[in-house]
Amino acid sequence: EVQVVESGGGLVQPGGSLRLSCAGSGFTFSDYTMNWVRQAPGKGLEWLSYISGSSYTIYYADSVKGRFTISRDNAKDSLFLQMNSLRAEDTAVYYCARRGVVAATFYMDVWGKGTSVTVSS
Amino acid sequence: QSVLTQPPSASGTPGQRVTISCSGSSSNIGSNTVNWYQQLPGTAPKLLIYSNNQRPSGVPDRFSGSKSGTSASLAISGLQSEDEADYYCAAWDDSLDGVVFGGGTRLTVL
């Protein structure tokens, strides 16, 4: 079964750091671009970042640029999101999502169940 | 404020056809394909439509998508109670170099 599973969420104080992980299985992880998307409580979806299969191409949303770092370890079929200088507005469920393979179109076809991050003192 | 604009809510009765609109600009919908995601209550988003009008395997043909210029729409025919969910449109934005989402539309089946 193709799936991705996030972990690493929790409660962190403002200004603190947290590292999220996402484990892929059922597919050749290194062949796929991976994404992080978040959803604040009661709010909509917000794309955060993507990393190509080789890690050559990386993009960030302006809201997290300079504070969050995306990375991957293809040998371990894993994706990461290092989150620094966390703010209350970073409180959200964080989803890992795989980019689909149809050329010339950007969509996310496999989503995890998410991991919850709460930034509060 | 979301880059893509969707109505916050929509409703219909079982069996009806409903449409949800998504409005963008030349840098996103106008130059890239549109995707739709369904989020059932308390669950993760699920891909519903990709590349404007393509359905992934397993998505009923009651769901269809279209795009014209800088707008797109999702149509659901033969509405069922299990279609009650939040629906999001999304597209790549060439100016922002990232994915942009609509604010989401909550569909209620009356």
Side-chain angles (χ1 to χ4, degrees), chain A residues 39 47 95 105-106 108 111-112, chain B residues 33 35 37 39 44-45 47 88 98:
Chain A
Q39 186 170 35
W47 173 85
Y95 295 102
T105 184
F106 196 113
M108 291 171 276
W111 294 68
Chain B
T33 58
N35 311 301
Y37 301 91
Q39 188 174 32
L47 179 66
Y88 295 90

Side-chain angles (χ1 to χ4, degrees), chain A residues 45-119:
Chain A
L45 301 173
E46 179 188 16
W47 173 85
L48 300 179
S49 181
Y50 96 57
I51 184 169
S52 62
S54 64
S55 301
Y56 184 80
T57 303
I58 289 175
Y59 286 108
Y60 295 100
D62 287 344
S63 58
V64 303
K65 202 173 292 183
R67 298 189 302 125
F68 291 10
T69 302
I70 192 172
S71 62
R72 65 192 296 160
D73 183 343
N74 289 336
K76 297 182 179 178
D77 294 341
S78 294
L79 173 72
F80 306 102
L81 186 67
Q82 177 66 43
M83 304 187 296
N84 298 331
S85 303
L86 284 163
R87 308 164 180 164
E89 53 264 37
D90 295 318
T91 294
V93 174
Y94 285 72
Y95 295 102
C96 164
R98 187 185 82 169
R99 179 183 177 180
V101 294
V102 173
T105 184
F106 196 113
Y107 61 97
M108 291 171 276
D109 64 347
V110 178
W111 294 68
K113 289 182 167 56
T115 187
S116 181
V117 172
T118 301
V119 184

